[in-house]
Amino acid sequence: MLPDPALPPTSEAQPPNFDGWTCPLPLRDYPTIVMGHGGGGQLSGELIEHLFVPAFSNPLLEGLTDSAVVTLGGARLAFSTDSFVVQPLFFPGGSIGDLAVNGTVNDLAMSGAQPAYLSCGFILEEGVELSVVGRIAKDLGTAAERAGVTIATGDTKVVDTGHGDGVYINTAGIGLVREGVDIRPQRAVPGDVVIVSGMIGVHGIAIMSVREGISFGTEVTSDCAPLNGLVDAMLDATLDLHVLRDPTRGGVATSLNEIAKTAGVGVELVERDLPIPETVANACAFLGLDPLYVANEGKLLAIVAPEDADQVLAAIRAHPLGADAAIIGECVEAHPGMVVTKTTFGATRVVDTPIGEQLPRIC
Amino acid sequence: MKYLAEFSDPDLAKKLVDQIHATVTKPWAMMEVCGGQTHTIVRHGIDQLLPDGVEMIHGPGCPVCVTPLEIIDKALEIASQPGVIFCSFGDMLRVPGSGRDLFRIKSEGGDVRVVYSPLDALKIAKDNPDKQVVFFGIGFETTAPPNAMTVYQAKRLGLPNFSLLVSHVRVPPAIAAIMQSPDCRVQAFLAAGHVCSVMGISEYPELAAKYKVPIVVTGFEPLDILAGILRTVTQLERGEYVVENAYRRAVRDEGNPAAKEMLADVFETTDRAWRGIGMIPQSGWRLSPRYREYDAEYRFQVRDIATEESTICRSGEVLQGQIKPHECEAFGTLCTPRNPLGATMVSSEGACAAYYLYRRLQTPAPETASKTASKASEAVSSVG
Amino acid sequence: MEIRDEDDTRMGKVDFGGVIKDVCLAYLPDLQVGEYTIVHVGFALQRLDEESAMQSLELYRQLGALEEEFGDHWGIAARQAGERRPPGTEETLR
């Protein structure tokens, strides 16, 4: 058949490539915000990528890191913010107050910064007992002292009954980045080693146990903790840490997927090397969840050059928060942007980013 | 957990895998019926350990995925009504109806709650006497007794504000339907262990004899699956077709009499459509007339909602192993994990979703695409 | 763990390797404290027979250690356990 002269010639040299394709319509599936947009998975990523980043467009945001590193008056500062809407407000091992401090402290620490000052904004619902707010404020103070940061400024707003969930908190923070430190996801390269600083899935299961009305024979408490001291110890071992990330919402799987995509490397995990407490494994089996997707609040993932791995691992293990640290995998050239795991039986499984929140399976 | 680690032991798994390799001399295609078994297979990559030519066809055993579009549309309609608390198992929320899902209803102000157990929904009904509490009762014979208990209790305790939206499905009619399809490639079944824990095994010998297929009642841990496969290929190699119980620790021949008695009281069998597959005669349960006042379809007058399923989707053929996912015209274009048309794309372990994910792992060269594709549905695993 | 009645319904606490959950025992009226059970969505649906579990594991351990072919192992184990074949198995159909 002759080509129709009215149509432009079709390009034969370039087959369609869907890999780099981004949807022209932001948030194609939902016209309204759904819970999954806050779940840390694909929906969260699309909201940021398609709606926020274009609106704010500047080069600092394009790294999509937990905290931005800016230069101000000659100093390299890490700058970050995080909001906390957890239910229940108090859970085994901590409260929303502990999370509000440690969450932002950890976001700063993941840029290799020493966190210094925090702001704290409260959104309180009419009718919340003062004693509850008091307990939370006390937890904030104690957590700040433990992390070695100062809460330097704050704000309080009250909303009508039914317009909030008791207490919401936002914190922002700044910290100084050491000379010679360059930690960001783009620095992960094939051959790098992936280290986790301890047992995974503990925080999410502690929260879930309250929500689902399950209890534990042995106590499972949140691992909520400030990681800046641990990062300091690691930087003393080597300044050349490539990537740090605290695997909070969406767990280890989501964090590693983000790093793999940003850096354009593949990640290969070894399932039997993953440090998972037996109780967490059992609770996950029972609730139909995968520990790789369960939130952590006091653990970090470190990606380092293979020659530095032993030294960094030793430094983590010597720290009180890192006794159970382990090497769990490596970055590879194959399947860039994807995370796979070698199962205990020697097979390979893709560890994908969840679309929204992880949901319990019934079958 | 007791007998969880023991039945996941890699050394014993290796022995079973070796024995399967020693037994198999020909290619065989078998279907694991239950979604829980599919999950174990992909979670541990068991299909990758099998001899070349031994193919696991993932069956229609994910209750969430096979729930017909029409019932989901009814659920969405009920959940969006004011004064209703709509309770559901978690993974049902992400399954789209016609253009919407339960997440969307929730975001628009609907009171949609995830429960772990049907009894939680009953408790919500007790605690909220001024609200209509509806539980989305889906699932196979395993989930049916717990769901039946809610209606039984609601009637006994006098909870007029509770009702059940029922879309229960049964395994044996599905096995019969798969075997009756003219191009069926399934040569054996791993029957769903926990379904048999409830129902026993009396329905299966007739199926095995009529369709000349081995049926092995199989559990859910990795060693259970491997043992089920081993007993299945042993039968196939010998030309036998009988019912075997490879899950004796949890399955008795007679099942659970108390649960069966409750099922007979609360439910009656009915024809049921399966998403992407179509109507299977007598394959479902609905509330019996004794409990009709607790039937959400009657209470909320959604019985006349009728939804046509997509005619493009060929998941029925995929499920039966007749075509590979990429041979469906809608694959990857109209039908993706984000916008699934059929059961096999809804579940992250469904053949189409797994194949979709695998394409990203290793994009085959165009000329070898179909060869690689046929391997893909065997080799791919995904959890997410 | 413990068994009690709630609204005349048999309930109990079940320990899933350290995870403790309230479970409905109505479908296993004679389940005793100390026994293992299969639980699905908050309901105990079948008691777990420890002897069968042990037999299965022992059978897998013996694989490859004996010379007979596998199918006979099942037979040997079944005979040793003195268990009866389920109705409608190979005797009737072979």
Side-chain angles (χ1 to χ4, degrees):
Chain A
M1 200 173 87
L2 290 168
D4 184 344
L7 291 173
T10 50
S11 160
E12 282 173 20
Q14 298 237 311
N17 175 10
F18 293 98
D19 293 342
W21 182 77
T22 54
C23 183
L25 290 171
L27 317 175
R28 54 200 137 148
D29 297 329
Y30 295 102
T32 49
I33 292 291
V34 296
M35 290 307 289
H37 285 121
Q42 288 179 29
L43 287 173
S44 300
E46 285 173 17
L47 184 69
I48 294 168
E49 192 181 332
H50 295 295
L51 195 145
F52 290 127
V53 171
F56 304 157
S57 86
N58 70 63
L60 279 175
L61 282 174
E62 277 156 22
L64 295 178
T65 45
D66 287 336
S67 54
V69 176
V70 298
T71 306
L72 198 63
R76 281 176 81 215
L77 294 176
F79 180 31
S80 184
T81 184
D82 207 340
S83 299
F84 301 85
V85 295
V86 65
Q87 275 298 337
L89 297 173
F90 302 92
F91 46 83
S95 74
I96 189 171
D98 298 297
L99 286 179
V101 169
N102 293 332
T104 294
V105 162
N106 292 346
D107 282 352
L108 293 169
M110 295 309 115
S111 293
Q114 185 50 264
Y117 297 103
L118 256 52
S119 73
C120 178
F122 280 93
I123 296 173
L124 305 173
E125 186 185 2
E126 181 184 32
V128 172
E129 288 176 28
L130 269 184
S131 63
V132 168
V133 182
R135 270 176 75 191
I136 291 170
K138 194 155 169 281
D139 285 348
L140 273 157
T142 310
E145 200 180 315
R146 180 179 173 201
V149 295
T150 306
I151 299 177
T153 180
D155 175 55
T156 308
K157 295 283 187 292
V158 178
V159 295
D160 288 331
T161 307
H163 286 244
D165 206 355
V167 178
Y168 297 151
I169 302 177
N170 171 275
T171 55
I174 52 171
L176 271 176
V177 182
R178 281 200 216 182
E179 197 59 41
V181 169
D182 181 19
I183 299 172
R184 51 197 168 87
Q186 291 86 344
R187 292 200 61 211
V189 290
D192 278 1
V193 171
V194 182
I195 301 171
V196 68
S197 68
M199 294 282 182
I200 65 170
V202 183
H203 173 75
I205 292 301
I207 294 278
M208 202 82 73
S209 70
V210 183
R211 286 192 196 150
E212 302 291 333
I214 57 179
S215 57
F216 297 96
T218 52
E219 184 105 333
V220 173
T221 55
S222 168
D223 56 354
C224 185
L227 294 169
N228 47 335
L230 176 61
V231 172
D232 256 354
M234 293 163 69
L235 286 170
D236 288 344
T238 173
L239 287 179
D240 192 27
L241 301 174
H242 289 179
V243 188
L244 292 178
R245 183 67 60 111
D246 61 330
T248 54
R249 277 181 320 195
V252 169
T254 305
S255 290
L256 287 176
N257 267 287
E258 283 169 9
I259 295 168
K261 280 184 187 73
T262 309
V265 298
V267 174
E268 200 169 290
L269 299 176
V270 179
E271 191 167 52
R272 74 170 78 211
D273 295 338
L274 294 172
I276 302 170
E278 201 188 336
T279 326
V280 168
N282 286 342
C284 283
F286 170 75
L287 292 166
L289 301 172
D290 184 334
L292 276 173
Y293 296 90
V294 176
N296 309 275
E297 289 293 344
K299 299 291 159 13
L300 60 79
L301 293 164
I303 295 181
V304 300
E307 58 272 21
D308 292 334
D310 289 342
Q311 217 178 336
V312 173
L313 184 65
I316 299 175
R317 284 187 173 159
H319 191 275
L321 290 175
D324 298 314
I327 291 175
I328 58 170
E330 59 175 352
C331 299
V332 294
E333 242 167 89
H335 52 81
M338 293 195 82
V339 180
V340 302
T341 181
K342 285 268 173 240
T343 73
T344 45
F345 303 143
T348 302
R349 163 169 71 100
V350 176
V351 180
D352 199 16
T353 315
I355 288 173
E357 303 159 281
Q358 194 184 195
L359 297 163
R361 298 168 43 251
I362 72 156
C363 62
Chain B
M1 212 172 310
K2 190 69 178 169
Y3 300 122
L4 202 93
E6 288 93 329
F7 282 90
S8 305
D9 183 287
D11 295 335
L12 293 185
K14 173 100 181 30
K15 289 192 169 197
L16 282 162
V17 169
D18 288 347
Q19 194 68 40
I20 291 169
H21 278 264
T23 306
V24 168
T25 64
K26 301 192 257 292
W28 299 110
M30 64 187 84
M31 174 178 281
E32 86 279 3
V33 170
C34 176
Q37 293 167 336
T38 307
H39 183 79
T40 303
I41 290 170
V42 294
R43 175 85 177 67
H44 298 277
I46 287 172
D47 43 359
Q48 300 165 40
L49 309 175
L50 300 177
D52 284 346
V54 173
E55 183 184 357
M56 300 303 298
I57 299 174
H58 302 329
C62 167
V64 166
C65 310
V66 300
T67 301
L69 199 54
E70 182 171 299
I71 297 270
I72 295 175
D73 283 346
K74 288 176 179 173
L76 297 172
E77 171 58 30
I78 293 171
S80 58
Q81 290 185 15
V84 167
I85 301 176
F86 193 85
C87 303
S88 169
F89 293 123
D91 47 0
M92 198 70 215
L93 267 67
R94 71 184 151 84
V95 181
S98 303
R100 299 188 298 175
D101 59 20
L102 284 167
F103 279 127
R104 170 91 177 272
I105 301 293
K106 186 162 179 276
S107 81
E108 291 168 355
D111 192 346
V112 178
R113 302 191 191 178
V114 171
V115 296
Y116 162 75
S117 166
L119 286 185
D120 299 340
L122 203 63
K123 182 168 185 312
I124 291 171
K126 275 186 215 164
D127 295 344
N128 295 275
D130 55 330
K131 295 280 177 70
Q132 281 292 329
V133 175
V134 184
F135 181 68
F136 200 173
I138 60 148
F140 283 89
E141 292 94 325
T142 329
T143 322
N147 291 350
M149 180 65 79
T150 61
V151 179
Y152 172 80
Q153 292 283 8
K155 188 170 184 177
R156 199 175 60 89
L157 299 171
L159 288 173
N161 63 326
F162 181 85
S163 60
L164 195 63
L165 179 64
V166 186
S167 182
H168 276 297
V169 280
R170 299 171 58 235
V171 166
I175 288 182
I178 288 166
M179 289 315 298
Q180 279 162 15
S181 120
D183 303 316
C184 175
R185 289 182 53 237
V186 179
Q187 293 166 296
F189 288 92
L190 305 186
H194 289 164
V195 165
C196 297
S197 294
V198 172
M199 301 303 292
I201 58 172
S202 61
E203 294 177 278
Y204 296 96
E206 192 189 322
L207 288 169
K210 182 169 177 190
Y211 299 107
K212 300 188 166 42
V213 281
I215 299 179
V216 177
V217 177
T218 303
F220 297 85
E221 302 311 323
L223 296 192
D224 291 324
I225 303 275
L226 287 168
I229 293 171
L230 177 51
R231 297 179 78 162
T232 305
V233 293
T234 304
Q235 280 200 44
L236 287 167
E237 291 283 343
R238 291 176 173 179
E240 296 172 355
Y241 39 87
V242 297
V243 177
E244 282 188 82
N245 183 356
Y247 194 37
R248 282 190 188 277
R249 69 182 187 280
V251 174
R252 309 206 178 353
D253 292 356
E254 68 281 9
N256 180 328
K260 284 162 81 174
E261 198 180 318
M262 177 70 82
L263 290 171
D265 177 39
V266 172
F267 293 126
E268 62 184 15
T269 54
T270 179
D271 295 346
R272 177 79 70 204
W274 297 47
R275 187 171 195 152
I277 300 169
M279 181 68 72
I280 302 180
Q282 295 300 299
S283 66
W285 271 319
R286 65 178 172 203
L287 287 172
S288 68
R290 290 180 290 282
Y291 291 89
R292 190 138 296 160
E293 58 190 303
Y294 295 95
D295 190 331
E297 286 199 52
Y298 286 84
R299 187 171 298 183
F300 294 93
Q301 321 226 315
V302 290
R303 296 185 65 230
D304 50 351
I305 291 180
T307 314
E308 290 292 320
E309 305 238 342
S310 160
T311 51
I312 313 164
C313 175
R314 298 173 69 188
S315 60
E317 291 160 82
V318 173
L319 276 171
Q320 293 164 47
Q322 290 166 17
I323 63 165
K324 294 296 173 187
H326 75 291
E327 290 165 351
C328 172
E329 294 74 13
F331 177 82
T333 54
L334 288 171
C335 180
T336 65
R338 287 287 290 276
N339 286 301
L341 292 180
T344 46
M345 191 62 99
V346 170
S347 161
S348 59
E349 283 125 22
C352 292
Y355 183 71
Y356 187 85
L357 197 62
Y358 178 81
R359 272 204 328 182
R360 287 172 45 215
L361 184 62
Q362 213 169 329
T363 308
E367 61 270 26
T368 60
S370 76
K371 171 84 174 70
T372 317
S374 64
K375 189 68 193 163
S377 67
E378 293 147 30
V380 167
S381 316
S382 97
V383 168
Chain C
M1 300 296 293
E2 62 169 59
I3 292 176
R4 64 177 194 285
D5 280 344
E6 199 173 281
D7 285 340
D8 293 334
T9 304
R10 202 159 183 263
M11 299 291 291
K13 284 200 187 304
V14 174
D15 180 349
F16 303 84
V19 181
I20 296 152
K21 177 86 188 170
D22 266 330
V23 162
C24 178
L25 305 178
Y27 291 128
L28 287 178
D30 52 353
L31 190 76
Q32 299 300 318
V33 171
E35 288 188 291
Y36 291 96
T37 170
I38 301 288
V39 173
H40 182 65
V41 296
F43 283 73
L45 290 181
Q46 190 53 272
R47 83 167 23 80
L48 195 143
D49 178 23
E50 288 199 71
E51 206 182 307
S52 294
M54 295 308 199
Q55 279 170 18
S56 298
L57 290 170
E58 187 49 37
L59 193 56
Y60 306 155
R61 276 187 210 109
Q62 285 170 9
L63 282 178
L66 300 175
E67 301 215 341
E68 293 95 331
E69 112 188 64
F70 181 72
D72 294 329
H73 288 197
W74 291 109
I76 293 164
R79 281 193 296 279
Q80 280 168 355
E83 66 183 337
R84 163 180 78 79
R85 281 277 176 190
T89 52
E90 47 237 78
E91 282 83 17
T92 50
L93 289 166
R94 191 174 265 167

